[in-house]
């Protein structure tokens, strides 16, 4: 389960009470809080289409990563394998482009995100505004961290959802790529839906 992500995503609108949401999380005593701008570059290759995964290259002031994420009908639980790239070499976009080109690149897209992140020992909570071209999406994500069982991870997520008033809200089952680029047919996913 080391390479498994357990996460709930909620699409929110521009009337979402981010200040109230932040106060509720601050009251829980996060170990750290961060606001950061992120550039995520997504790549779909021939093998990614056949095997239902997408590659993400993330570079920001805190992280430099190359990640494979499985594409599944419901991303509540999915494979996620991340390689930590050196920030000491700067943005390695050219090397990543050459790397994925050798895999038979069939599509790529860029998403820019303005994130507010609350870090807890058992959960990472993020609010972000994602944009690409003329499309903008606002999301809240709860990702369980350092969990030992799926039931335990889901219980952690539920606790933070309750504390922030999102318990019982409709969870999105669309990946950020599906939300930002609905015209791209992603393998392993169903048409946009929520539950």
């Amino acid at each position: 389960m080391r390479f498994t992500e357990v996460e709930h995503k909620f699409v929110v609108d521009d009337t979402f009470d981010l200040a109230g949401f932040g106060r509720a999380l601050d009251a829980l005593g996060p170990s750290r809080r961060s606001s950061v701008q992120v550039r995520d570059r997504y790549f779909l290759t021939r093998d990614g289409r056949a095997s239902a995964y997408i590659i993400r290259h993330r570079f920001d002031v805190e992280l430099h990563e190359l990640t494979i994420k499985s594409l599944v009908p419901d991303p509540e639980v999915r494979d996620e394998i991340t390689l930590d790239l050196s920030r000491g070499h700067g943005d390695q976009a050219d090397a990543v482009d050459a790397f994925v080109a050798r895999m038979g690149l069939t599509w790529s897209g860029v998403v820019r995100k303005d994130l507010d992140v609350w870090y807890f020992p058992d959960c990472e909570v993020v609010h972000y505004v994602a944009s690409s071209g003329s499309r903008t999406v606002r999301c809240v994500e709860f990702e369980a961290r350092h969990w030992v069982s799926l039931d335990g991870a889901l219980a952690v997520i539920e606790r933070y959802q309750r504390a922030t008033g999102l318990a019982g809200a409709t969870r999105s089952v669309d990946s950020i790529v599906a939300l930002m680029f609905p015209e791209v047919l992603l393998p392993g996913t169903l048409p946009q839906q929520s539950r």
Side-chain angles (χ1 to χ4, degrees):
M1 302 302 282
R2 179 176 160 209
F3 300 115
T4 303
E5 174 185 58
V6 180
E7 173 184 274
H8 283 180
K9 178 195 319 297
F10 299 89
V11 175
V12 297
D13 62 23
D14 58 359
T15 64
F16 179 73
D17 182 9
L18 181 56
F21 181 75
R23 283 191 300 274
L25 289 167
D26 288 341
L28 298 174
S31 59
R32 182 167 77 93
R33 203 174 157 195
S34 177
S35 293
V36 64
Q37 292 184 325
V38 172
R39 184 203 65 208
D40 286 340
R41 298 180 328 128
Y42 292 92
F43 303 93
L44 188 57
T45 63
R46 281 191 303 268
D47 187 60
R49 282 195 182 280
S51 301
Y53 68 84
I54 197 155
I55 298 169
R56 179 188 72 197
H57 175 225
R58 173 171 284 174
F59 183 75
D60 62 45
V61 298
E62 295 180 354
L63 301 172
H64 191 196
E65 301 173 329
L66 191 61
T67 302
I68 289 180
K69 291 178 170 269
S70 61
L71 296 169
V72 294
D74 183 348
E76 178 180 53
V77 179
R78 65 178 170 175
D79 294 340
E80 181 177 279
I81 304 164
T82 298
L83 300 174
D84 187 4
L85 303 178
S86 170
R87 287 200 39 81
H89 295 297
D91 184 1
Q92 299 174 50
D94 291 343
V96 170
D97 288 346
F99 185 86
V100 296
R102 298 292 282 183
M103 300 170 148
L105 183 65
T106 63
W107 173 87
S108 68
V110 177
V111 177
R112 298 198 184 277
K113 296 178 184 173
D114 291 316
L115 290 91
D116 290 302
V117 188
W118 292 262
Y119 299 92
F120 298 91
D122 56 353
C123 193
E124 184 175 298
V125 183
V126 181
H127 171 273
Y128 61 85
V129 179
S131 61
S132 183
S134 63
R135 185 168 278 123
T136 299
V137 176
R138 291 167 172 79
C139 296
V140 169
E141 294 180 358
F142 300 87
E143 182 178 348
R145 308 295 290 183
H146 312 294
W147 49 275
V148 293
S149 73
L150 180 56
D151 288 341
L154 293 172
V156 164
I157 289 172
E158 175 65 25
R159 188 172 76 242
Y160 286 91
Q161 287 175 198
R162 272 194 319 273
T164 57
L166 284 172
T170 301
R171 177 176 64 82
S172 175
V173 296
D174 292 322
S175 70
I176 191 63
V177 175
L179 291 168
M180 297 303 296
F181 307 101
E183 67 280 4
V184 177
L185 181 60
L186 298 174
T189 61
L190 300 175
Q192 291 189 7
Q193 55 186 309
S194 297
R195 50 176 208 178

